[in-house]
Amino acid sequence: MEEKENIKRMEQKIRDLEILANEYKSRLEDYKQNFLLTPDPVFITSVIRFSIIDINNSMEEMFGYSRAEMLHQSLMPLFRNASEFETLITTISERTYVRDFEAGLKRKNGDCVDCSINANLYS
């Protein structure tokens, strides 16, 4: 009798875990859609090499690069000049965030866009 109760408890735990996994999957899909469709250009970078991990659709549209062209590329060449990039990185390193940082970013065609950058450092 005790073995049957243990099996029932284990089966219930499995069902609970499946429900939880489905909830997390749904939240992840919502996050991905919100990220991709937000009207502001957004990119996510690795802190180690400052390479681009992902960009949203607005970033593709505004800067002319496809997601495939941007992934794993260094962030530095997007900046109009190295000093703006270095100042941004220094500021984020010191504060773990930056608000309204003014910098010029280059489009694929070479034109520059004056941008106001907001960034947060996450581990």
Side-chain angles (χ1 to χ4, degrees):
M1 192 66 146
E2 189 175 318
E3 187 174 331
K4 285 183 180 181
E5 289 298 318
N6 284 339
I7 290 172
K8 282 184 181 181
R9 278 195 295 269
M10 294 293 272
E11 288 172 341
Q12 183 60 48
K13 284 183 182 183
I14 290 170
R15 284 191 294 274
D16 292 345
L17 288 172
E18 287 172 342
I19 290 169
L20 188 60
N22 286 332
E23 287 176 13
Y24 282 131
K25 184 178 177 184
S26 176
R27 287 182 194 169
L28 180 60
E29 286 302 315
D30 288 346
Y31 168 80
K32 285 169 57 176
Q33 285 303 309
N34 287 330
F35 169 74
L36 291 174
L37 299 177
T38 190
D40 293 323
V42 178
F43 53 86
I44 300 172
T45 64
S46 163
V47 179
I48 297 169
R49 284 183 249 124
F50 295 101
S51 60
I52 297 170
I53 295 172
D54 204 358
I55 66 171
N56 71 349
N57 297 350
S58 294
M59 186 77 183
E60 283 184 285
E61 291 167 17
M62 181 177 279
F63 289 91
Y65 296 99
S66 70
R67 181 171 281 103
E69 289 174 305
M70 298 286 287
L71 293 182
H72 311 294
Q73 299 301 314
S74 173
L75 184 61
M76 192 170 79
L78 279 179
F79 280 77
R80 174 178 35 218
N81 60 57
S83 66
E84 288 178 332
F85 177 74
E86 291 169 8
T87 302
L88 175 66
I89 299 310
T90 300
T91 304
I92 291 173
S93 298
E94 291 171 354
R95 293 193 217 158
T96 71
Y97 70 94
V98 66
R99 296 289 175 267
D100 300 319
F101 181 86
E102 300 295 325
L105 298 180
K106 295 183 226 170
R107 290 186 167 137
K108 185 176 181 176
N109 68 8
D111 292 345
C112 272
V113 178
D114 289 324
C115 297
S116 179
I117 299 173
N118 294 310
N120 294 298
L121 181 65
Y122 295 104
S123 58

